[in-house]
Amino acid sequence: MRITLVLGDITRQEVDAVVNAANSSLLGGGGVDGAIHRRGGPQILTECRRLRSAQLGKGLPTGQAVATTAGDLPATWVIHTVGPVHSRQEDRSGLLASCYRESLRVADELGAAVVAFPAISTGIYRWPIDDAARIAIQTICGTPTQVAEVRFVLFTPDAYTAFEKALSRHR
Ligand code: AR6
């Protein structure tokens, strides 16, 4: 599997699947989630509502992932995952790792070859970027998958640099 880094907007990526840094409600929010629903159009929310009324009555638990259509995005699917809110009292890194692992598992189920990830939990959920980048890279590299390319789409130069560093440490 190839890992690539891009500085840019995840909603512009022509990939098989884009991962959404969602919340448990699956009904939208700010950050990546807001951008995906805005640019992807109402079809994504319709499918999220359907999931909520079917198997996800209590919402999507933190660390898990589920797929919907990508609506008007230049991708085929959106894989929604719920990152943990960062805490200084409690180590939630297992849940952050789980987001990456579970998203890859769903990507494999879909047959997605190229998958774009944001830096999950590093915005509204306040996870320090260097630590989040380390967890993301270690988990992706340590998870067996059929996905051919994982593309990290970083929104700021700082996030890009953090992922570059994490990747070079790992290689
Ligand atoms: N493309 C790529 N990365 C982006 C984009 C974009 N268009 N927009 C922001 N980022 P966040 P979280 C970066 O807040 O921390 C929502 O309300 C951003 O700079 O989107 O997991 C959900 O509904 C940051 O580095 O996700 C949840 O309630 C990273 O993406 C909550 O926010 C993640 O920031 C989830 O918070």
Side-chain angles (χ1 to χ4, degrees):
M1 186 240 300
R2 212 156 56 95
I3 295 182
T4 52
L5 307 182
V6 170
L7 180 62
D9 181 342
I10 200 161
T11 66
R12 304 285 187 180
Q13 302 300 309
E14 294 181 13
V15 292
D16 296 305
V18 299
V19 175
N20 182 17
N23 61 66
S24 287
S25 81
L26 292 182
L27 301 179
V32 171
D33 200 8
I36 282 178
H37 282 284
R38 230 174 5 256
R39 197 169 289 279
Q43 257 185 295
I44 301 174
L45 192 57
T46 302
E47 273 195 37
C48 285
R49 287 216 173 93
R50 204 174 294 143
L51 284 168
R52 285 297 310 274
S53 58
Q55 70 264 41
L56 294 172
K58 291 181 181 160
L60 183 66
T62 305
Q64 296 193 21
V66 71
T68 65
T69 174
D72 300 332
L73 295 178
T76 307
W77 299 284
V78 173
I79 298 173
H80 307 262
T81 190
V82 183
V85 176
H86 185 261
S87 163
R88 298 200 182 282
Q89 284 77 44
E90 189 187 4
D91 179 11
R92 298 177 180 164
S93 47
L95 286 169
L96 184 55
S98 175
C99 288
Y100 288 99
R101 233 179 0 253
E102 287 297 304
S103 296
L104 283 181
R105 190 183 57 72
V106 171
D108 280 340
E109 278 175 14
L110 296 167
V114 183
V115 181
F117 280 88
I120 299 164
S121 286
T122 64
I124 292 164
Y125 287 173
R126 301 185 316 271
W127 205 291
I129 190 69
D130 289 331
D131 195 48
R134 176 187 62 80
I135 293 165
I137 297 289
Q138 280 180 0
T139 308
I140 293 291
C141 292
T143 304
T145 175
Q146 298 303 308
V147 170
E149 180 188 344
V150 165
R151 186 181 304 172
F152 285 103
V153 183
L154 292 326
F155 208 48
T156 63
D158 280 358
Y160 186 92
T161 304
F163 273 73
E164 233 179 2
K165 269 195 224 143
L167 198 52
S168 67
R169 278 201 198 100
H170 197 79
R171 277 177 178 150

